[in-house]
Each structure stands twice: as C-alpha cells, then as structure tokens.
Amino acid sequence: MIEFEPKYITFDCYGTLTAFGMSAVTRELVADRVAAEQVEDFLDDFEAFRGDEVLGAYKPYHQVINDSLARAAKLWDIEHRDSDGQAIYESVPSWGPHPDVPEPLAALAERYPLVILSNAADEQIQSNVDKLGAPFHAVYTAEQAQAYKPRLQAFEFMLDQLGCGPEDILHVSSSLRYDLMPAHDLRVTNKVYVNRGYEPSTPFYGYHEVSDISGLAGLLGV
C-alpha cells in the first residue's frame, strides 16, 4: 500500500493507459522494404531515433515521427517515404486503452483528480483520452509545454499549471526512460511503474511496481 494521499495522480498516456500501436502500423508500412525476420530490429531503431529526436528543441510530433523514420530508413539503406510518417501520425487518435485500464481508472477518478502528461500533439490526444472512460482534471501535451519527456521542462510545465510541487503528485508510467527517471531527477518521490514489459525494472529510481492499472488502484486502496 502507498501511505500517501496525492493531490493529483499524473499519468503518462501512450503505453501506460493507451495501448501503443505504432509498431503494428509501421510494420505494415515497411513490409515491402524490410524482411519479416528483420522488422523487429528496424522497429527498435525507429524507437531509438524517436527517443533521440525528442531531446532537442521542440518540433511538432508529426515531424518527430517522420524525422525518426527517415533516420531509421537511412541506417537501413532503404527508401523513406513521407507518406509513411504521415500515416503513422494519423493512426495515433485511433488507439484505445489497454484492457485493464477503464474500470480501475474510473474508480481512481472518483477519489483523485487525474492528470495526463503526454508526448502528444493537441489535435491527437483528446480522441485517445475519450476512449479511456474516466474523467481527467487536466491533459497536458508536449505541444503545450514546448518540450517532450524526458526533458524536465515538460514536468515543470505540468507542475506550474497544477500549482503544486513534486512532493504533491503520484506519477504513473510504463516507461522509466521517458517518465520515472526524469521524475526521480525532479524529486518526485511518489512514483508507480506499470511494468508492461517495455523496459527492465530498475528499482534504484524508487517506485512501486505493478503489472496493470488494477495494481495501482490496489496500492491506493481503491
């Protein structure tokens, strides 16, 4: 159990609450250029370049996707098509929640103000949030913050908008790299890692670990 009553529970969206569908879309788009037995390696490289692209000055999310895909294509010496990047970007609003999310999330919303901080564009995210089936106090995006996680600027923007400090929130994510490591650096002491198998557990960063959102509700006695 978590012996802490947060003013807000703050969430990562894609991957944590919303099932991340980018790999499935990309796999289909590059099937004519990347062999089936190699596509997982290509997807890993595309993911790595996305992680690198968000560390610099802010650029719109469609550009992050397209530039990352172009860099992966260059590494693999295959043709890059801007239409692929646009198709991936346009698929984002169609993604729905992980099956374990809606019921416990709705229960949490009855007790706590819920907040999202997402590496998203404003025009995309509301469609995903609407599919989660729970009310949110606020939804903040990289576009609003003019910075992507893991940059601390994104978290600072959220805290400024909420009018609270790192000690007041419980931050929940399925990513250490994008969320829990920078939250640790910003002295967010109350964190929950939803281990969906994307990254290895790293207990040094001081979090409670659960396998799904029901586990988060259980930690809070909801």
Side-chain angles (χ1 to χ4, degrees):
M1 296 288 289
I2 295 177
E3 301 299 328
F4 170 66
E5 281 292 305
K7 289 184 179 179
Y8 302 97
I9 303 180
T10 59
F11 291 89
D12 166 61
C13 185
Y14 300 117
T16 302
L17 301 177
T18 296
F20 194 74
M22 194 168 291
S23 290
V25 176
T26 307
R27 187 180 291 108
E28 293 182 6
L29 290 167
V30 303
D32 62 333
R33 284 156 286 162
V34 180
E37 64 271 18
Q38 296 180 301
V39 72
E40 295 304 319
D41 289 339
F42 179 85
L43 293 172
D44 285 346
D45 291 338
F46 178 31
E47 179 182 2
F49 283 123
R50 292 198 307 275
D52 187 61
E53 285 288 325
V54 299
L55 296 177
Y58 174 80
K59 63 173 76 173
Y61 192 53
H62 68 83
Q63 189 175 344
V64 169
I65 291 174
N66 197 56
D67 290 353
S68 303
L69 191 64
R71 291 172 71 183
K74 180 180 179 182
L75 181 67
W76 282 69
D77 195 24
I78 63 172
E79 178 192 4
H80 169 68
R81 301 167 187 163
D82 288 344
S83 59
D84 290 346
Q86 187 63 26
I88 295 167
Y89 177 78
E90 291 177 356
S91 75
V92 174
S94 69
W95 302 344
H98 289 286
D100 61 90
V101 168
E103 185 175 348
L105 194 67
L108 287 164
E110 293 181 2
R111 181 166 153 186
Y112 300 101
L114 308 184
V115 175
I116 281 175
L117 177 64
S118 178
N119 280 359
D122 290 347
E123 68 176 4
Q124 295 177 309
I125 194 165
Q126 195 57 50
S127 176
N128 305 109
V129 173
D130 290 344
K131 294 177 179 66
L132 297 176
F136 279 82
H137 171 79
V139 177
Y140 302 120
T141 66
E143 182 176 353
Q144 296 166 26
Q146 291 290 287
Y148 292 93
K149 300 177 294 181
R151 293 196 60 201
L152 299 187
Q153 180 180 331
F155 291 89
E156 290 173 307
F157 173 83
M158 177 181 70
L159 294 174
D160 286 346
Q161 295 301 305
L162 293 174
C164 68
E167 70 279 4
D168 296 319
I169 67 171
L170 174 65
H171 191 64
V172 182
S173 179
S174 61
S175 175
L176 278 87
R177 177 180 292 184
Y178 283 92
D179 281 84
L180 298 180
M181 292 168 66
H184 169 86
D185 292 343
L186 203 56
R187 300 193 182 278
V188 177
T189 56
N190 295 285
K191 302 179 291 295
V192 173
Y193 176 42
V194 184
N195 189 346
R196 296 195 183 277
Y198 304 137
E199 301 170 18
S201 183
T202 310
F204 170 83
Y205 291 100
Y207 49 74
H208 296 268
E209 184 170 327
V210 297
S211 60
D212 56 29
I213 301 302
S214 294
L216 169 64
L219 285 176
L220 291 163
V222 173

